[in-house]
Amino acid sequence: DLARLTHEVVKQHAEIAVEKNIDLGMSRSESVVMPGSAENLRIMLENLLGNALHYTQTGGKVNVNVYAEAGNA
C-alpha cells in the first residue's frame, strides 16, 4: 500500500522538518496500490522526501500527496 508506506516515510522525516522549521504536510487516499518492490518504493520515497527537505529553505513548506486516479497511483 503506497499510501501507508508514504505515511511511514513522512513520519520518519518529521524531525528533520521540525529542525529546519519546514511545514511538512501529507494528504492521501485510504489505500493506493502500486506494483513494485516495497523496499524499492521506500528507497524512492526516502530519496524524494530527503531531497525536498534538504533543498527547501528554512520556514518553507513540503506537501506530499498520494492518490489514485483512473486506477493509477
Side-chain angles (χ1 to χ4, degrees):
D1 180 1
L2 183 62
R4 180 190 53 76
L5 185 61
T6 303
H7 184 255
E8 290 173 7
V9 172
V10 167
K11 283 183 5 182
Q12 290 173 347
H13 286 76
E15 187 174 323
I16 296 168
V18 169
E19 289 171 2
K20 287 189 70 178
N21 193 30
I22 294 173
D23 181 11
L24 177 59
M26 180 178 174
S27 64
R28 65 184 177 135
S29 299
E30 278 300 310
S31 178
V32 178
V33 178
M34 182 174 168
S37 159
E39 184 58 31
N40 287 341
L41 290 170
R42 177 181 293 279
I43 291 168
M44 175 200 67
L45 291 167
E46 288 174 349
N47 285 335
L48 287 171
L49 189 52
N51 284 336
L53 293 172
H54 178 77
Y55 291 104
T56 298
Q57 294 182 351
T58 299
K61 187 171 188 171
V62 172
N63 288 314
V64 180
N65 302 300
V66 181
Y67 61 93
E69 184 175 296
N72 296 309

